[in-house]
Amino acid sequence: MTGVLHGVDQRTQMVGHNRLELLLFRLTGKQRYGINVFKVLEVMPCPPLTRMPKSHASVRGISHIRGRTIPVLDLGLSLGLGALNEPSTGYIVITEYNRSVQAFLVRGIDRIVHMSWTDIAPPPRGCGPNGYLTAVARVDDELIEIVDVEKVLDEVVHKRTEISRELTGPTSGAPVRILVVDDSSVARNQVARTMQQIGIESVLAHNGRQALDMLHGWAEGGRSITDQLGMIISDIEMPVMDGYTLTAELKKDPRFKDLYVLLHSSLSGVFNDAMVTKVGADRFLAKFDADALARAVLEKIRPAGQASSARPH
């Protein structure tokens, strides 16, 4: 397994072209699941684990790996599929999400597949709002389920959405609306809750394509989009159209090129700053810190002191 992620650093060339690579793995049965390779630091056989008292039920223990103490979550248990009986027979997928490093215990590693975001669809409606999927994809005539890791982590280590008192209160000037684009229901709610506390109303979209369609509809009335929206806060990895592609599409359209775009993602890596510049986004901010997000928005909204009360319909 040491060679599974060999050369991952060279894969950043796909970013900005609406493409990704998925690491496929299995949990308790034959069903295969996937996560974005860009969030994976390492894959290895499960090392010995030290159980921590009073930890969350999904946390099977901690392990000291390469000078770092890492919590190991049983992903099957987190998804309600049951625990892996013998952790030593499984593998851990070490990831970096939302400013933290953690490992997920899985039964087996399959392989990495190279895909386009256009081939990845939102989860079926029947999954309901409480499901653990952000998307599905077809590989080898089999449906791959892409896990909403942000939801899993939020249930284990709940992220604070209350902002500091000095940041609360309405923004100056007329009401402001922003467009929040994210495929994770947890992430959308975190952003909307943060915006609510600073007096900003959120319009929600589940992926870049849906956001772009909404903007086209609002622009048909002939009014300036910047008079209707204060800014866009967008995730990067999403089905159908990712955040980099959405930003590039906006910046090449005269109607949308002046929209302020903040890319807000759990993706990490040195390529983020370069990609922000490449696609024309205005800022990158790593998920999720309520105060940091509120400050980033207020730095854009408050100094201007003006925002139209016109609202998109």
Side-chain angles (χ1 to χ4, degrees):
M1 294 309 303
T2 56
V4 170
L5 300 180
H6 178 67
V8 65
D9 290 339
Q10 298 178 3
R11 296 184 173 107
T12 57
Q13 63 183 337
M14 293 186 304
V15 178
H17 297 281
N18 212 37
R19 304 193 69 82
L20 80 159
E21 285 186 320
L22 290 176
L23 174 66
L24 305 185
F25 56 90
R26 287 185 170 86
L27 297 173
T28 58
K30 293 182 178 180
Q31 175 65 47
R32 287 187 293 178
Y33 299 85
I35 59 173
N36 194 330
V37 166
F38 278 115
K39 294 182 178 179
V40 177
L41 301 178
E42 187 173 359
V43 176
M44 60 187 295
C46 185
L49 302 178
T50 301
R51 182 71 181 179
M52 297 297 292
K54 298 184 179 179
S55 61
H56 190 277
S58 295
V59 178
R60 298 296 294 268
I62 59 172
S63 185
H64 195 67
I65 301 171
R66 309 196 193 291
R68 180 182 280 170
T69 300
I70 299 176
V72 177
L73 286 68
D74 189 321
L75 192 52
L77 194 58
S78 297
L79 302 185
L81 302 173
L84 185 63
N85 292 330
E86 295 292 338
S88 61
T89 64
Y91 294 86
I92 60 170
V93 181
I94 304 174
T95 66
E96 185 170 358
Y97 278 86
N98 297 352
R99 305 173 183 240
S100 66
V101 174
Q102 53 282 308
F104 295 104
L105 177 64
V106 302
R107 180 172 61 84
I109 301 296
D110 187 58
R111 70 185 195 274
I112 288 172
V113 293
H114 184 171
M115 302 191 70
S116 168
W117 277 113
T118 58
D119 297 326
I120 296 176
R125 292 184 179 181
C127 291
N130 298 318
Y132 289 93
L133 305 182
T134 59
V136 294
R138 187 163 293 279
V139 176
D140 303 330
D141 293 325
E142 176 188 338
L143 205 60
I144 303 298
E145 300 182 358
I146 302 174
V147 178
D148 187 348
V149 177
E150 291 177 76
K151 179 177 175 63
V152 171
L153 292 177
D154 186 65
E155 292 181 354
V156 176
V157 183
H158 184 67
K159 285 285 184 178
R160 183 177 67 88
T161 57
E162 291 73 26
I163 64 176
S164 298
R165 182 170 297 180
E166 67 268 18
L167 297 172
T168 59
T171 57
S172 59
V176 176
R177 261 191 170 187
I178 64 165
L179 177 58
V180 178
V181 192
D182 204 300
D183 61 330
S184 170
S185 60
V186 166
R188 289 194 302 272
N189 291 336
Q190 286 173 337
V191 175
R193 169 61 180 154
T194 303
M195 295 302 99
Q196 182 183 34
Q197 294 172 82
I198 57 175
I200 295 177
E201 187 177 352
S202 302
V203 183
L204 307 181
H206 294 196
N207 58 64
R209 171 51 61 189
Q210 185 183 32
L212 196 58
D213 290 344
M214 293 168 70
L215 288 165
H216 284 151
W218 296 338
E220 288 179 358
R223 293 178 298 172
S224 169
I225 286 294
T226 54
D227 287 340
Q228 302 180 63
L229 286 175
M231 64 188 299
I232 294 176
I233 299 175
S234 177
D235 187 21
I236 291 178
E237 55 165 358
M238 297 177 287
V240 186
M241 179 183 288
D242 68 20
Y244 286 135
T245 304
L246 168 63
T247 304
E249 289 293 319
L250 294 176
K251 296 303 180 179
K252 71 182 183 182
D253 190 319
R255 298 171 299 173
F256 309 133
K257 65 182 180 62
D258 293 326
L259 271 173
Y260 187 95
V261 179
L262 187 157
L263 293 176
H264 186 231
S265 175
S266 56
L267 279 173
S268 61
V270 296
F271 64 87
N272 282 324
D273 289 339
M275 285 306 304
V276 166
T277 301
K278 179 179 177 180
V279 302
D282 297 277
R283 184 167 180 178
F284 171 83
L285 186 66
K287 291 179 180 177
F288 173 79
D289 182 304
D291 279 359
L293 179 59
R295 287 193 182 96
V297 173
L298 291 173
E299 285 173 7
K300 168 61 174 65
I301 299 297
R302 275 186 176 164
Q306 296 182 1
S308 172
S309 60
R311 296 182 176 183
H313 298 283

